[in-house]
Amino acid sequence: MDVTRLKGPLGVWLQRLFLVLVAVLSSAADTVLAFSQDRRLTQFHHTRWTIKEGAPGQISAIAQTEDGYLWISAAAALYRFDGVRFERFEPPSGDPFSAIQTLYAPPGGGLWIGFQMGGIAFLKGGRLTRYRGTEGAPARQVSAFATDRNGDVWTSELAGGLFRLSGGRWEQVGESWGYAGKESRYLFVDQDGTLWVAAEKTLLYLPHGARRFIPTGTNVGWVLQLRQAPDGRIWMTESGGDVRPIPVPGHGQTENPPSLHVDSAGVQFARDGSMWLTTLGDGLRRIPHPERLPAGDVASVAGAVESFTEKDGLSGDYAWPVLEDREGNLWVGTSGGLDRFRVSSMVLAEFPRGSHDFALVAGNAGELWAGTTNRPLMRLSHGEVSFEQPGAPVRSAYRDQEGVIWLGADNGLWRVEDGRLSHVTPMPVPLSQVQAMTRDHRGTLWVSLTGHPQMQWVDGRWNPVTERLGFSDKERIHTAMTDARGRVWLGHKRGIITRVDGDEVRRFTEEDGLRLGVITALTAGRQYVWVGGQFGLALHDGQRFRPLVADGDEPFRNVSGIIERSDGSLWVHAVPGVFHIPAEEVQRALGDPSHRVRYELFDFLDGLPARPTLLRPLPTAVAGDDGRLWFATSNGVVWIDPQRITRNPMPPPVSILAVRADGRRYAPASDVTLPIHPANLEIDYTALSLSIPERVRIRYRLEGVDEHWQDVGTRRTAYYGNLAPGRYRFQVIASNNDGVWNERGASLELVVPPAVHQTWWFRTLCVAAGFLLLWLLYLLRLRQLTAKMRGRLEERHAERERIARELHDTLLQSVQGLVLRLQAVAEQLPAHEPARQAMEKALDRADQVLAEGRDRVMELRSSIHADRDLSDALVQVGEELAEDIPASFRLIVEGVPRELDAAVQVEIFLIGREALLNAFQHAGGTAVEAELHYDSDELRVRIRDDGAGVAPEILEMGGRPGHWGLAGMHERAARIGATLQVWSQTNAGTEVELKVPAAIIYRRKPNAPLWRRLKGAARMGRGR
């Protein structure tokens, strides 16, 4: 939004607010840039990559594309670098590159590549477009590219002139543009949009919007590069060793411009205004303030130019390209590899190399005093180091409340007052060394000596205080401090603290919450006393000690220095690094003892050269009166200004590089279809933050698998296994070294197709097949039961026939013989004899018994046979009963009669006969009717009458007590797998219905289809 276009009172107010914000931000930015500009080259954080780390050698060009990648050319190879890995780019067509001359990343993305043997190419989105003299493009060696404000791309061809790409078409720039040169050695677009071209031995320029070049008439040598300084001057590097502003009116011309005689191959102006130069054989040069360079030969000005060579750690002295990336890092390509220079938060103090065991104390006006065991006493002021000569190593330093500096040297006590060093007194014990010092409100200096009792320096003499404090001869004090109330605090080696308040002496132990091990740091804050030790950090709240617990990967252990700033924040020097605990975290910890404090850790990635000493000298952290904080390590001293900490506001671009599934690689397109049932899935991604890639934090998740984000730190590969079929979405986000997150990140759609056995239709078929199998097993079981039941019926029938034969052949024949003999005897008696009459009556009864017995035998042998129809048998029974009982009878047959199973048919007949007997003998009705229904799935037999009916309680009991007709019918029906139902109402008749499944009663034909047999068996099952 352009606030300058807003109208009305609100618009005026917003415009004023916008101007104020711009002014504040510009001022802050200028302060930070000036802070960076005043650093020395050795105070930048330097990292190098050589062939050991996978970097290419002989780097000829560097460019950074808009996606954050650093592109590097080395001979005929092109690499891209994400801060962690060097990845060689292979042309998709397989046509290899020739030697690369130059790289250029235009606005809008992509990368232009110029080749030494001629031709150019454009790379974007993995697609490479080559131009080999076609489409009017340059065909010879290209030395540079540039993009004007219209978006047109310009390129210079060393032996062919100047070319322009506009609207997708190339054209060679000639006379119509006012350009007559046959060579074009370099080109550059300045801040005003003016296009500068170095042609042969002169310079031309094309103002923005113009259509003709303007010659400068200035003679120049072979121009290798053109760059513009923040003050507007345009500098050039010439083959042969000159680096100078271009002598063009209005663009840097002066009467006697500065000139650097250095064989430079590249030049870069950093955002802080400093100039960086690469040389062909002598490493790197840096000019912190090129705007201050005097006229003439700069080499004669001492300190104007800084040098950094292979001896200082550069990967190679032969340096060519130099580039500042979008985060402010300076990159240099050399013959041996790649180097990066960045502004670190911690700045190395300019003490002589090799110094160690620093006893630090802050002086006035931002100066710092440092005693060491191998250097004279050093005084650092305004970046310059001076030396004092106490004549012995200084092992302890302390500044009291009055600003007097006390130094404990091997030859006694020294003091610095008003900038003057003076000797106070020799050591009270020969060969002793000072471990710690502090001065109370009475002016007494408390001095702890190594291997000796605690001493005091007061009124010009030494006094031992061991007995007064109740110390043993072996009691050793590690550190000492005086709080704002004048009380002296002494930290012991064995993990206790003694506090001396006048004549009152109090000792704090574990019972007071003190569980820190060796006490190595004591600091008096505004309200509390801070204590650091071997096992952590704690505060004394006036009653007892309370620990502070870190909420992070690194604990507060082995603390050697504590600083509380005026804003309430804490700076804690410990073995892992320097912890910055914000004031709000301190306040939360004070209000909630269980709160785990969040912190910011500064370590070697921020310029911390080594770890602190934990024995002597202590403390290792002091605060200067200019706001800077100083920290001593075993390999140097660094400082940090909390008000000017370098921050990285740029969220890192995130890219998904590749997908690998079961050893096969897939390009990260919008949708990636994976193989069926991928056992191992790997997704490569990266986050492009080149400042401190070691602190980039990455999170990813696979929707459909991960419920929450996976925090994987710096790992750049995601792993999954055995993904089920479906559609997934992979997302990855990242933060830079200062915790600025790219919440949008990158995403990728993944599709896992199902195998045949994983498709819905296959599963449906499996379920259906399972049900079918169960159904077939069920039918098979029914068939087995049916066959078993039929076998039993046939056995019963056979047994009945056997019994009938036995009865007929034995009992009935014997009875018949007996009757005949009795008949003969009776005939011998006179007819009028009462005995004969009685015998004849007995013989009549015997005939009836024989008839009944014969009938029962006939029943046992079955009243019907396989060749006799069931309907005929029932008609015979009904008609015989109708002759003796006055009721009509008729039989109705429906359907086509079928051949019936003989054994089952007998049981059906007996059930039907019993029902007919009940209807004729007990119903008392006028009509009895029977029905036979030959259905395809069952045989139904119905017997009904219009008689008196059966009482409901009799139906419920299953028959009258002592009568077994109805119960026998049910039992017979159950034996053959049939169902029997009886319906009756008072004075409304009775109906008996028998249903016999077709599979039981109908005889199957050998050629009957399977489906018909299965259908019959199923219905038989339902009938049961």
Side-chain angles (χ1 to χ4, degrees):
M1 181 180 68
D2 187 359
V3 298
T4 60
R5 297 184 180 181
L6 295 176
K7 304 300 181 181
L10 178 60
V12 173
W13 183 83
L14 288 175
Q15 291 180 31
R16 291 177 180 176
L17 178 60
F18 175 75
L19 293 176
V20 171
L21 289 175
V22 169
V24 171
L25 293 176
S26 299
S27 176
D30 292 342
T31 301
V32 173
L33 291 178
F35 169 64
S36 169
Q37 193 173 15
D38 289 336
R39 290 192 183 190
R40 297 184 182 180
L41 183 52
T42 54
Q43 293 177 321
F44 282 76
H45 191 283
H46 171 239
T47 308
R48 73 174 188 174
W49 291 265
T50 64
I51 192 172
K52 294 180 181 179
E53 291 78 32
Q58 300 293 337
I59 295 176
S60 60
I62 304 175
Q64 186 182 31
T65 48
E66 287 201 347
D67 58 7
Y69 277 105
L70 202 67
W71 292 85
I72 303 166
S73 65
L78 180 65
Y79 297 83
R80 68 178 185 180
F81 182 51
D82 63 356
V84 177
R85 296 177 293 194
F86 292 90
E87 181 183 3
R88 181 166 179 168
F89 176 80
E90 299 293 344
S93 63
D95 187 9
F97 286 148
S98 60
I100 297 174
Q101 174 69 24
T102 185
L103 299 175
Y104 171 67
L111 180 71
W112 285 100
I113 308 170
F115 300 98
Q116 290 183 8
M117 304 305 295
I120 60 177
F122 183 65
L123 174 64
K124 187 173 184 179
R127 180 181 179 184
L128 184 71
T129 304
R130 293 179 181 264
Y131 301 91
R132 295 190 175 94
T134 58
E135 298 90 16
R140 302 175 184 176
Q141 182 177 346
V142 171
S143 59
F145 294 91
T147 303
D148 61 23
R149 290 188 176 180
N150 296 324
D152 297 339
V153 177
W154 298 74
T155 182
S156 58
E157 189 181 61
L158 287 180
L162 186 64
F163 290 80
R164 171 175 172 263
L165 175 63
S166 180
R169 300 186 60 182
W170 286 99
E171 65 169 317
Q172 186 169 6
V173 177
E175 292 289 347
S176 62
W177 287 82
Y179 186 84
K182 295 182 179 180
E183 293 184 2
S184 178
R185 297 175 179 175
Y186 199 80
L187 52 85
F188 172 74
V189 176
D190 66 16
Q191 298 171 358
D192 299 326
T194 300
L195 175 65
W196 294 86
V197 180
E200 299 169 1
K201 295 185 178 182
T202 186
L203 291 173
L204 300 91
Y205 65 93
L206 179 70
H208 173 60
R211 294 288 296 180
R212 292 187 65 82
F213 281 89
I214 301 174
T216 62
T218 301
N219 291 328
V220 296
W222 188 293
V223 177
L224 299 176
Q225 276 194 347
L226 294 168
R227 291 290 185 269
Q228 189 170 24
D231 61 5
R233 290 190 296 177
I234 297 176
W235 289 67
M236 61 181 177
T237 61
E238 298 173 284
S239 178
D242 283 339
V243 179
R244 58 193 175 98
I246 61 173
V248 178
H251 296 280
Q253 184 186 38
T254 59
E255 293 182 1
N256 188 12
S259 178
L260 287 79
H261 298 290
V262 59
D263 192 7
S264 176
V267 59
Q268 176 70 48
F269 285 93
R271 61 185 62 180
D272 64 3
S274 60
M275 177 191 285
W276 297 67
L277 301 170
T278 55
T279 70
L280 302 178
D282 197 21
L284 179 68
R285 299 288 187 273
R286 177 177 179 264
I287 304 172
H289 294 277
E291 73 282 0
R292 300 177 187 175
L293 290 176
D297 186 1
V298 176
S300 62
V301 181
V305 181
E306 297 177 295
S307 175
F308 198 92
T309 67
E310 194 169 2
K311 294 180 180 179
D312 301 302
L314 199 67
S315 61
D317 276 340
Y318 193 99
W320 183 274
V322 56
L323 169 77
E324 184 182 45
D325 67 19
R326 60 181 193 163
E327 295 172 276
N329 306 300
L330 271 297
W331 297 86
V332 178
T334 74
S335 56
L338 181 68
D339 293 76
R340 179 189 63 198
F341 295 85
R342 62 177 172 83
V343 177
S344 59
S345 297
M346 291 192 163
V347 184
L348 186 66
E350 292 295 317
F351 289 126
R353 292 185 179 180
S355 303
H356 55 78
D357 296 333
F358 294 91
L360 300 183
V361 63
N364 298 320
E367 68 182 9
L368 182 75
W369 293 79
T372 67
T373 56
N374 64 339
R375 291 280 190 272
L377 179 65
M378 294 179 288
R379 180 182 183 182
L380 179 61
S381 179
H382 302 291
E384 300 296 332
V385 177
S386 59
F387 298 92
E388 301 288 344
Q389 299 293 337
V394 175
R395 303 181 187 273
S396 181
Y398 164 70
R399 180 175 179 174
D400 62 23
Q401 294 90 336
E402 298 175 0
V404 178
I405 295 175
W406 297 84
L407 304 172
D410 288 355
N411 59 0
L413 284 181
W414 295 73
R415 63 186 292 170
V416 177
E417 193 169 10
D418 297 330
R420 294 189 301 273
L421 177 67
S422 61
H423 187 260
V424 177
T425 181
M427 287 291 101
V429 181
L431 302 179
S432 61
Q433 298 174 359
V434 177
Q435 171 68 33
M437 292 183 291
T438 188
R439 192 180 185 192
D440 61 22
H441 63 287
R442 297 177 180 177
T444 301
L445 185 68
W446 295 67
V447 181
S448 299
L449 302 177
T450 58
H452 298 282
Q454 180 74 28
M455 303 293 290
Q456 287 182 345
W457 172 254
V458 58
D459 297 332
R461 63 178 182 271
W462 291 101
N463 295 327
V465 293
T466 301
E467 293 183 3
R468 174 193 165 192
L469 299 178
F471 291 174
S472 66
D473 293 338
K474 296 183 179 180
E475 199 82 33
R476 298 294 177 262
I477 301 301
H478 234 57
T479 184
M481 177 271 294
T482 301
D483 63 18
R485 296 169 55 181
R487 297 178 298 182
V488 175
W489 298 70
L490 304 175
H492 295 244
K493 182 179 180 180
R494 58 191 182 95
I496 63 175
I497 292 177
T498 298
R499 186 182 69 189
V500 182
D501 186 5
D503 295 331
E504 179 187 351
V505 178
R506 180 174 178 182
R507 182 164 298 191
F508 298 98
T509 64
E510 288 189 2
E511 295 180 356
D512 302 291
L514 191 61
R515 299 178 180 86
L516 301 177
V518 180
I519 306 301
T520 51
L522 284 167
T523 297
R526 294 177 300 172
Q527 292 180 289
Y528 306 100
V529 171
W530 297 96
V531 185
Q534 182 182 4
F535 302 135
L537 175 69
L539 65 92
H540 188 261
D541 61 4
Q543 298 297 326
R544 56 187 295 108
F545 290 90
R546 289 167 43 186
L548 262 70
V549 182
D551 181 21
D553 298 332
E554 295 290 350
F556 303 136
R557 286 182 177 267
N558 295 309
V559 177
S560 60
I562 305 171
I563 300 173
E564 180 183 341
R565 300 190 70 239
S566 58
D567 62 358
S569 62
L570 281 183
W571 291 78
V572 180
H573 194 195
V575 167
V578 176
F579 295 90
H580 170 219
I581 306 174
E584 54 270 19
E585 285 297 303
V586 175
Q587 291 300 317
R588 290 188 64 182
L590 294 176
D592 180 10
S594 64
H595 175 66
R596 302 175 67 92
V597 296
R598 293 189 293 269
Y599 59 80
E600 181 180 18
L601 178 63
F602 296 85
D603 56 17
F604 69 97
L605 295 173
D606 303 282
L608 199 63
R611 293 183 174 183
T613 59
L614 297 176
L615 177 61
R616 190 171 55 252
L618 293 174
T620 61
V622 297
D625 57 7
D626 61 351
R628 289 187 292 179
L629 310 180
W630 299 83
F631 302 94
T633 73
S634 59
N635 194 33
V637 177
V638 294
W639 59 265
I640 186 172
D641 188 340
Q643 299 299 325
R644 297 190 293 181
I645 296 177
T646 303
R647 300 295 185 186
N648 184 0
M650 302 192 67
V654 180
S655 301
I656 298 176
L657 306 179
V659 178
R660 291 187 299 275
D662 296 339
R664 183 178 177 183
R665 185 183 178 94
Y666 299 82
S670 57
D671 280 2
V672 176
T673 300
L674 301 177
I676 295 172
H677 197 275
N680 296 293
L681 174 65
E682 299 179 11
I683 305 175
D684 293 336
Y685 49 82
T686 190
L688 283 303
S689 180
L690 302 181
S691 292
I692 310 181
E694 298 87 346
R695 287 204 182 135
V696 169
R697 289 293 175 267
I698 299 174
R699 296 174 182 170
Y700 66 73
R701 67 179 176 185
L702 185 63
E703 292 183 0
V705 176
D706 299 322
E707 295 184 4
H708 307 286
W709 288 98
Q710 304 295 314
D711 196 336
V712 295
T714 59
R715 178 156 58 86
R716 283 167 164 77
T717 302
Y719 301 94
Y720 292 94
N722 300 317
L723 291 182
R727 191 175 189 90
Y728 301 89
R729 185 168 183 261
F730 179 76
Q731 293 177 282
V732 56
I733 59 176
S735 69
N736 66 8
N737 54 293
D738 282 319
V740 179
W741 283 90
N742 179 351
E743 297 288 352
R744 182 176 181 182
S747 62
L748 182 66
E749 300 290 335
L750 301 173
V751 177
V752 179
V756 173
H757 64 277
Q758 294 174 318
T759 57
W760 66 268
W761 55 266
F762 182 84
R763 293 175 179 175
T764 302
L765 287 178
C766 288
V767 172
F771 280 118
L772 179 59
L773 179 61
L774 292 176
W775 182 247
L776 291 175
L777 292 175
Y778 171 69
L779 294 182
L780 178 62
R781 179 60 177 165
L782 287 180
R783 188 172 182 181
Q784 292 174 344
L785 293 176
T786 303
K788 185 176 181 180
M789 182 174 60
R790 182 176 290 111
R792 289 180 178 178
L793 290 176
E794 291 177 351
E795 290 177 359
R796 288 182 59 207
H797 186 67
E799 182 66 14
R800 290 172 63 182
E801 287 190 344
R802 185 189 67 79
I803 294 172
R805 285 195 301 271
E806 293 293 333
L807 291 175
H808 182 271
D809 294 340
T810 57
L811 179 62
L812 292 181
Q813 292 295 337
S814 299
V815 172
Q816 182 67 32
L818 181 60
V819 168
L820 291 175
R821 292 184 65 182
L822 291 175
Q823 182 67 36
V825 172
E827 290 179 353
Q828 294 177 3
L829 294 176
H832 59 275
E833 284 290 334
R836 180 172 179 173
Q837 293 178 358
M839 187 172 292
E840 287 180 353
K841 289 181 179 179
L843 289 174
D844 291 338
R845 180 57 184 162
D847 289 337
Q848 292 178 359
V849 170
L850 283 175
E852 290 178 0
R854 191 177 293 108
D855 291 340
R856 295 301 180 185
V857 170
M858 291 302 296
E859 288 180 3
L860 287 175
R861 292 183 58 89
S862 181
S863 302
I864 57 175
H865 302 279
D867 56 351
R868 189 175 182 186
D869 189 69
L870 176 62
S871 59
D872 293 340
L874 293 176
V875 167
Q876 180 180 353
V877 172
E879 289 179 348
E880 289 178 353
L881 293 173
E883 291 178 357
D884 299 329
I885 299 172
S888 64
F889 172 77
R890 69 168 182 164
L891 175 70
I892 301 173
V893 179
E894 293 184 357
V896 179
R898 306 274 293 274
E899 185 177 357
L900 305 180
D901 184 272
V904 179
Q905 180 174 290
V906 171
E907 299 295 332
I908 296 174
F909 170 74
L910 295 176
I911 294 172
R913 191 183 70 172
E914 185 68 27
L916 288 174
L917 288 172
N918 290 336
F920 276 98
Q921 295 177 359
H922 304 295
T926 60
V928 177
E929 188 175 80
E931 290 185 7
L932 281 178
H933 294 268
Y934 290 92
D935 292 339
S936 59
D937 55 350
E938 64 183 4
L939 173 66
R940 286 182 295 165
V941 180
R942 291 178 181 172
I943 308 295
R944 53 179 171 264
D945 61 66
D946 59 354
V950 182
E953 58 273 14
I954 296 177
L955 289 178
E956 187 175 351
M957 291 187 297
R960 288 188 176 89
H963 293 261
W964 308 104
L966 190 57
M969 293 166 63
H970 282 286
E971 291 175 358
R972 291 180 185 275
R975 280 198 296 267
I976 63 174
T979 57
L980 180 71
Q981 291 181 309
V982 180
W983 296 280
S984 180
Q985 290 184 356
T986 304
N987 299 322
T990 302
E991 181 173 333
V992 178
E993 182 181 59
L994 178 69
K995 293 182 180 179
V996 187
I1000 296 176
I1001 186 60
Y1002 297 150
R1003 286 192 175 182
R1004 293 189 298 272
K1005 296 181 180 180
N1007 58 351
L1010 176 63
W1011 68 269
R1012 187 178 298 278
R1013 281 179 272 164
L1014 294 178
K1015 182 177 179 183
R1019 292 183 175 174
M1020 175 198 70
R1022 289 198 302 269
R1024 291 190 64 197

